[in-house]
Amino acid sequence: MPRHARYSTNMRKALITGITGQDGSYLTEHLLSEGYEVHGIVRRASTFNTDRIDHLYVDPHKQDARLLLHYGDLTDGPALRHVIEQIQPDEIYNLAAQSHVAVSFQQPEYTADVDGVGALRLLEAIRDVQARTGREIRYYQAGTSEMFGAAPPPQSEATPFHPRSPYAAAKVMAYHLVRNYREAYGLYAVTGILFNHESERRGETFVTRKITRAATRIKEGLQDKLYLGNLDAVRDWGHAEDYVRAMHLMLQQDEPRDFVVATGESHTVREFLDATFGLLDLNWQDHVEFDPRYLRPAEVEHLHGDATKAREALNWAPRVGFNELVSRMVNHDLELARQEKTLREAGHTMTARQSGDI
Ligand code: NAP
Ligand code: G4F
C-alpha cells in the first residue's frame, strides 16, 4: 500500500484558512457538496467580513451545521495550533494571504509574515499534532504563477522561479518550506501553482473585476472614467470555481505532488477591456485613462501556464473559458450597477465606492 493511502472515514473534516476570500468561498461550496464538515479561520474585523460565505452559513446550534468558523490569523501561531488541535482536520487548505501584488510593495514585511512565515506556522503545528495523534493531516498550499515572475512562458512545474515582488518571494518561501517538510518529515504537503483565476466574487482591486465593475457602472451612467496602469501585461485567466476542484484533487492522490493549474490560454489586459466593453456596446478608449500609480516597481509581463501534468495525473480540465468568464462577471456586475442606480433614483444617499483604488 502506498505510504499515503487513505483510510475511509464517515465525514471528512477540512480546515480552510482564507475562507472569506474568493477561493475560500468556492472551495467551501465544493467541499460541502462532497460531504465534508468544513471549518474556516476568520480574521476578527470591526465590520462583518463573511459576505462571500454568508449564503452557506447555518446556525452552529443546529445539529446539521457543517460549516463552522473560528477566529484566527496567520500571524498568530498559537491560535492556529489551538484550532488544529481542537478540530483535528483531515485536510488543511492554506488560502489565507495578503494576496495583492501591488500592496506587497507597500507592506513587504507584513506580506512576508502572512504569506511566507504563515505557512511555516501551519506546517509546524501539523507536524506536532500529527506526531501526537498518529492521524495524517494533509496540507494544501496556495502557490501562484507569480512565483515564475520573469521566467519566459509557457511556465510549467519544471520552470525555475524568478519572483518579481515581495508577494511572489514570500510565496516561493512557502513553496520551499512545503517541499522541505514533505522531504524531511514525510508530510503529505503540496503546493498548487495556480495561474490567475477570477470570478463574480473577485476582489474589486484586481484588474479584471476593477474593469467589469467600472464598465458596468459606466453603462448605467454611475461613473465615467476608469484609471488603469499597464495594459500590455499578459495573464492566463481562468474561473475560480474550476481551480478549487483542482485544489481538492491534489489532496486525494496516493502521493503528494505539486501541480501547475492553468487554462493554457492567455490575454492582455487590453483584450480583457475589449471583451468587457464590447459586451456592453461601449468603446473603452472613450473611458480608460492611464494612471502611473497603478504601475508596479517590477512587473510580471507574461504568464501562460502549461497544466499538462494536472490534466494527465488529476484528470483536471477547466470548464469555463475566457469569453464565458468575462460574460459571467459582466452580467453579475451589471445587475449590481442596476441595483445601485435604482437605489440612487429612489433618493438613497448610499453610493458605491468607486471601485479599484489600488
Ligand atoms: P483573496 O480573495 O484576497 O482572499 C484572501 C483571504 O485571506 C481572505 O479570506 C482574507 O481575509 C485572508 N487573510 C488575509 N490576511 C490574513 C491573515 N493575516 N490571517 C488570516 N487570514 C488572512 O484571495 P484569493 O483570490 O481567494 O486567493 C486565495 C489564495 O490563493 C491566496 O493565498 C492567493 O495568494 C493565492 N492565489 C490566488 C490566485 C488568484 O488568481 N486568485 C492565483 C494564485 C494564487 P479577509 O476576508 O478578512 O481579508
Ligand atoms: O489583477 P492583478 O492585480 O493580478 P496579479 O498581479 O496578476 O496577481 C493576481 O494573480 C496572481 C497569480 O498570478 C495571484 F497570485 C495574486 O494573488 C493575484 O490574485 O494584475 C494583473 C495585471 C498586472 O500586470 C497589473 O500590472 O494587470 C495589470 N494592471 C493594469 N492596471 C492592473 C491595473 N492591476 C491592478 N490590480 N490594477 C490596475 O489598475
Side-chain angles (χ1 to χ4, degrees):
M1 194 160 68
R3 189 158 52 116
H4 292 284
R6 306 232 44 173
Y7 44 86
S8 69
T9 54
N10 290 335
M11 192 185 291
R12 277 184 287 166
K13 284 188 206 172
L15 172 63
I16 304 176
T17 74
I19 194 167
T20 56
Q22 170 189 257
D23 291 6
S25 67
Y26 284 113
L27 181 64
T28 303
E29 281 172 7
H30 184 60
L31 294 179
L32 288 173
S33 77
E34 293 279 323
Y36 281 71
E37 179 177 296
V38 178
H39 295 257
I41 289 181
V42 177
R43 294 199 283 183
R44 195 270 157 183
S46 66
T47 52
F48 289 116
N49 56 0
T50 53
D51 288 14
R52 290 186 177 106
I53 50 170
D54 283 345
H55 62 293
L56 301 170
Y57 196 70
V58 175
D59 181 344
H61 302 98
K62 295 197 172 147
Q63 291 269 316
D64 57 351
R66 284 195 293 125
L67 170 58
L68 300 147
L69 301 178
H70 310 261
Y71 281 116
D73 196 296
L74 264 276
T75 59
D76 184 348
L80 295 173
R81 192 174 287 246
H82 179 71
V83 172
I84 295 171
E85 289 272 12
Q86 193 193 340
I87 300 165
Q88 307 224 347
D90 300 288
E91 297 169 8
I92 296 181
Y93 296 85
N94 181 27
L95 310 185
Q98 189 305 91
S99 70
H100 203 286
V101 174
V103 173
S104 79
F105 287 100
Q106 292 166 29
Q107 293 192 279
E109 187 176 319
Y110 175 71
T111 302
D113 193 14
V114 176
D115 300 10
V117 184
L120 178 64
R121 294 184 179 105
L122 286 167
L123 290 165
E124 272 293 292
I126 290 170
R127 190 159 77 90
D128 283 358
V129 174
Q130 194 172 285
R132 202 166 38 260
T133 63
R135 290 196 60 215
E136 184 175 72
I137 302 174
R138 296 187 171 199
Y139 177 86
Y140 173 86
Q141 168 63 29
T144 164
S145 49
E146 280 289 308
M147 299 190 300
F148 297 124
Q155 295 97 358
S156 73
E157 294 82 1
T159 305
F161 297 138
H162 185 150
R164 298 271 288 167
S165 64
Y167 167 76
K171 289 285 190 178
V172 170
M173 176 186 170
Y175 168 89
H176 285 298
L177 285 165
V178 167
R179 188 170 166 173
N180 178 242
Y181 273 59
R182 189 164 70 213
E183 292 170 359
Y185 305 117
L187 292 195
Y188 190 115
V190 300
T191 298
I193 307 174
L194 273 53
F195 282 63
N196 297 53
H197 44 280
E198 319 294 311
S199 75
E200 301 86 319
R201 298 181 198 164
R202 184 59 144 150
E204 294 185 23
T205 59
F206 297 98
V207 79
T208 56
R209 190 82 197 284
K210 181 171 168 179
I211 291 171
T212 59
R213 278 293 270 153
T216 50
R217 293 184 85 243
I218 288 168
K219 180 74 181 175
E220 292 302 311
L222 295 164
Q223 76 181 70
D224 185 40
K225 293 290 177 205
L226 165 61
Y227 296 93
L228 293 173
N230 177 18
L231 305 188
D232 295 320
V234 179
R235 289 292 181 274
D236 180 332
W237 280 298
H239 195 288
E241 241 170 30
D242 282 332
Y243 286 48
V244 301
R245 282 191 290 108
M247 295 176 189
H248 178 241
L249 284 169
M250 276 180 231
L251 292 197
Q252 314 312 312
Q253 305 306 303
D254 286 343
E255 293 298 329
R257 290 200 289 163
D258 302 325
F259 288 94
V260 157
V261 178
T263 67
E265 181 184 332
S266 295
H267 294 272
T268 59
V269 173
R270 190 177 274 100
E271 286 165 348
F272 198 95
L273 282 166
D274 280 335
T276 302
F277 281 74
L279 284 173
L280 297 163
D281 293 321
L282 294 169
N283 186 356
W284 63 263
Q285 284 87 349
D286 297 337
H287 302 280
V288 172
E289 293 198 0
F290 173 67
D291 184 341
R293 204 155 68 94
Y294 299 116
L295 296 179
R296 292 157 186 194
E299 174 66 295
V300 171
E301 300 292 351
H302 196 147
L303 293 175
H304 180 101
D306 173 358
T308 306
K309 183 176 158 188
R311 284 175 188 267
E312 289 175 357
L314 302 177
N315 197 20
W316 176 87
R319 294 172 186 156
V320 180
F322 180 74
N323 290 332
E324 188 184 341
L325 170 70
V326 179
S327 78
R328 277 174 65 165
M329 292 177 71
V330 167
N331 289 340
H332 177 270
D333 286 346
L334 194 55
E335 183 53 35
L336 284 187
R338 285 180 177 150
Q339 286 171 10
E340 183 187 345
K341 190 175 179 189
T342 306
L343 284 174
R344 257 199 203 184
E345 285 169 356
H348 287 269
T349 48
M350 182 213 88
T351 48
R353 186 170 37 83
Q354 287 270 325
S355 68
D357 49 5
I358 290 175

